[in-house]
């Protein structure tokens, strides 16, 4: 036994001395209507990634408006009837959503449900509602009416509905962060349909390299890449989900102010933040608010933003400049502008 241990130690130290490359584990799953890819290092990497996949099922069931048993489905079913007792996690998420939407200049509404359901853009049966339908639904989209009290949530009007699609994927990135933490995984990356959390650095001390998607290319093609550490990037764009009628493209982000899919001058916008739900909230909000407003936010040093407009201008917060690189074969197609804090 002692001899075995000695041999093992010898092999181990030799391998370490020779700089044997630590193994990167990867895991692919499906959830929240998208592909989830994970990569991680360390002895608990595989167990942690499986746990991330497992917990996502419960998270999704609880937060989807299309569920049956989850808190959001129950709140929606009881709209106009009675308050529903919900979990602390749900209350926390709704509390945060309400606080954020109040700062969004009307661009973000967690009560967007009646409109997302009427348009059905992320479903198999999208339709264009009539103006009359939209006019009837618009008064039901009003986050200030959501009542949270004593562990319950209540939508006071029949027909109101919550839709957390604008922050759920980013929020789950932060759940994954907690799971990696519990499993002592210091180096990991998860992408939930393009919303990415990068944890720590890789074993060779380099940071995770994150791609900014080419809106015209397929899932894996990027126009640029940048490095991230212990942060989430959430991306919103009109190229993600849409349907077309008579050559007109209706996208999945709806303007709560007029009830129609947004016609943004932004092609896609990525927001980097420590907190996943915040990153996701801001990316959706900036997409609705448009380029000019987002550029104003970029002059505030608390924001790290990448914005692609319809003229192929790529605006990048200056703090990202050190690692931000356009892909060589795309460099001629885009004009890169670094936006400085406080710039005009
Ligand atoms: P994202 O891809 O993060 O920008 O979120 C888009 C998703 O959020 C949609 O599929 C809807 O579920 C929901 N949503 C659409 N429009 C809005 C909006 N104006 N405010 C909040 N959530 C929205
Ligand atoms: Mg979002």
């Amino acid at each position: 036994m002692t001899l075995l241990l000695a041999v093992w130690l010898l092999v181990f130290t030799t391998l370490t001395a020779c700089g044997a490359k630590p193994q990167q584990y990867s895991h692919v799953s499906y959830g929240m209507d998208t592909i989830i890819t994970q990569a991680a290092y360390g002895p608990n990497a595989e167990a942690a990634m499986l746990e991330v996949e497992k917990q996502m099922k419960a998270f999704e069931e609880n937060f989807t408006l299309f569920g049956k048993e989850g808190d959001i489905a129950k709140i929606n079913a009881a709209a106009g009837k009675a308050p529903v007792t919900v979990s602390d996690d749900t209350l926390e998420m709704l509390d945060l959503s309400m606080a954020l939407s109040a700062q969004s200049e009307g661009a973000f509404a967690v009560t967007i449900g009646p409109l997302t359901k009427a348009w059905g853009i992320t479903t198999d049966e999208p339709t264009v509602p009539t103006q009359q339908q939209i006019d009837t639904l618009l008064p039901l989209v009003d986050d200030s009416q959501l009542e949270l009290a004593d562990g319950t949530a209540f939508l006071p009007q029949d027909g109101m509905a919550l839709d957390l699609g604008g922050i759920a994927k980013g929020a789950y990135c932060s759940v994954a962060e907690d799971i990696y933490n519990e499993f002592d995984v210091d180096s990991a990356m998860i992408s939930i349909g393009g919303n990415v959390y990068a944890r720590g650095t890789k074993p060779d001390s380099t940071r995770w390299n994150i791609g900014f998607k080419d809106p015209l290319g397929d899932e894996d093609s990027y126009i640029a890449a940048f490095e991230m550490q212990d942060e989430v990037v959430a991306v919103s764009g009109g190229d993600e989900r849409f349907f077309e009628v008579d050559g007109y493209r209706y996208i999945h982000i709806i303007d709560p102010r007029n009830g129609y899919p947004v016609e943004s001058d932004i092609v896609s916008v990525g927001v980097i933040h420590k907190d996943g739900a915040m990153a996701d909230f801001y990316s959706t909000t900036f997409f609705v608010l448009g380029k000019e407003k987002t550029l104003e936010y970029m002059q505030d040093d608390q924001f790290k933003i990448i914005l692609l407009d319809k003229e192929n201008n790529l605006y990048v917060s200056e703090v990202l400049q050190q690692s931000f690189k356009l892909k060589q074969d795309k460099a001629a197609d885009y004009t890169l502008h670094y936006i400085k804090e406080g710039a005009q």
Side-chain angles (χ1 to χ4, degrees), residues 26-318:
S26 56
H27 186 81
V28 179
S29 53
Y30 187 82
M32 302 177 92
D33 214 15
T34 191
I35 306 270
I36 294 116
T37 54
Q38 299 181 71
Y41 291 91
N44 299 333
E46 284 179 299
M49 293 191 293
L50 275 173
E51 186 65 18
V52 168
E53 178 185 0
K54 192 175 138 206
Q55 288 195 27
M56 178 175 282
K57 292 196 173 64
F59 182 93
E60 187 179 1
E61 175 58 27
N62 196 42
F63 287 109
T64 176
L65 78 160
F66 300 112
K68 289 190 181 71
E69 300 298 324
D71 282 349
I72 298 306
K74 284 191 206 153
I75 297 165
N76 291 351
K81 299 183 191 83
V84 175
T85 301
V86 293
S87 71
D88 289 347
D89 286 350
T90 304
L91 277 179
E92 208 178 293
M93 185 98 137
L94 293 178
D95 216 25
L96 177 70
S97 305
M98 278 179 83
L100 292 174
S101 79
Q103 309 164 16
S104 76
E105 303 178 43
F108 188 94
V110 80
T111 54
I112 198 80
L115 288 168
T116 45
K117 285 198 285 185
W119 285 93
I121 289 164
T122 58
T123 70
D124 295 337
E125 290 171 343
T127 44
V128 180
T130 63
Q131 184 62 50
Q132 199 188 359
Q133 273 174 296
I134 290 175
D135 291 342
T136 317
L137 297 175
L138 269 175
L140 301 173
V141 178
D142 179 1
D143 285 15
S144 70
Q145 291 189 35
L146 172 62
E147 293 170 24
L148 304 176
D150 306 325
T152 67
F154 181 47
L155 293 168
Q157 294 191 64
D158 191 17
M160 288 184 87
L162 297 171
D163 176 351
L164 293 178
I167 59 167
K169 293 188 180 84
Y172 197 76
C173 285
S174 293
V175 175
E177 176 181 0
D178 292 343
I179 296 170
Y180 295 140
N181 203 22
E182 263 169 48
F183 279 76
D184 287 327
V185 172
D186 307 328
S187 175
M189 200 256 341
I190 179 169
S191 168
I192 307 175
N195 297 282
V196 179
Y197 164 60
R199 178 173 182 81
T201 56
K202 288 186 272 178
D204 63 2
S205 299
T206 58
R207 301 201 293 169
W208 294 93
N209 208 28
I210 314 296
F212 190 74
K213 199 175 156 279
D214 180 354
L216 302 175
D218 57 30
E219 273 306 305
D220 301 323
S221 74
Y222 299 102
I223 58 178
F226 58 99
E227 290 175 359
M228 236 174 41
Q229 184 177 347
D230 297 321
E231 284 174 315
V232 173
V233 59
V235 183
S236 290
D239 57 304
E240 292 163 17
R241 280 139 204 252
F242 55 83
F243 82 110
E244 284 174 324
V245 183
D246 301 331
Y248 190 82
R249 180 179 283 200
Y250 297 97
I251 68 149
H252 73 308
I253 302 173
I254 296 178
D255 192 330
R257 298 165 296 191
N258 62 22
Y260 281 83
V262 178
E263 291 182 55
S264 184
D265 52 2
I266 294 175
V267 173
S268 58
V269 56
V271 179
I272 298 159
H273 201 285
K274 289 250 174 238
D275 182 80
M278 297 279 268
D280 206 351
F281 156 78
Y282 278 115
S283 67
T284 307
T285 300
F286 289 149
F287 188 85
V288 178
L289 289 177
K291 174 176 150 180
E292 208 181 306
K293 280 263 174 201
T294 307
L295 287 175
E296 278 172 27
Y297 277 91
M298 279 174 96
Q299 290 157 31
D300 182 334
D301 67 348
Q302 65 161 315
F303 289 101
K304 292 184 191 170
I305 301 172
I306 301 166
L307 184 159
L308 175 64
D309 76 5
K310 293 201 163 150
E311 282 78 47
N312 280 358
N313 288 302
L314 200 50
Y315 297 90
V316 179
S317 295
E318 204 181 37

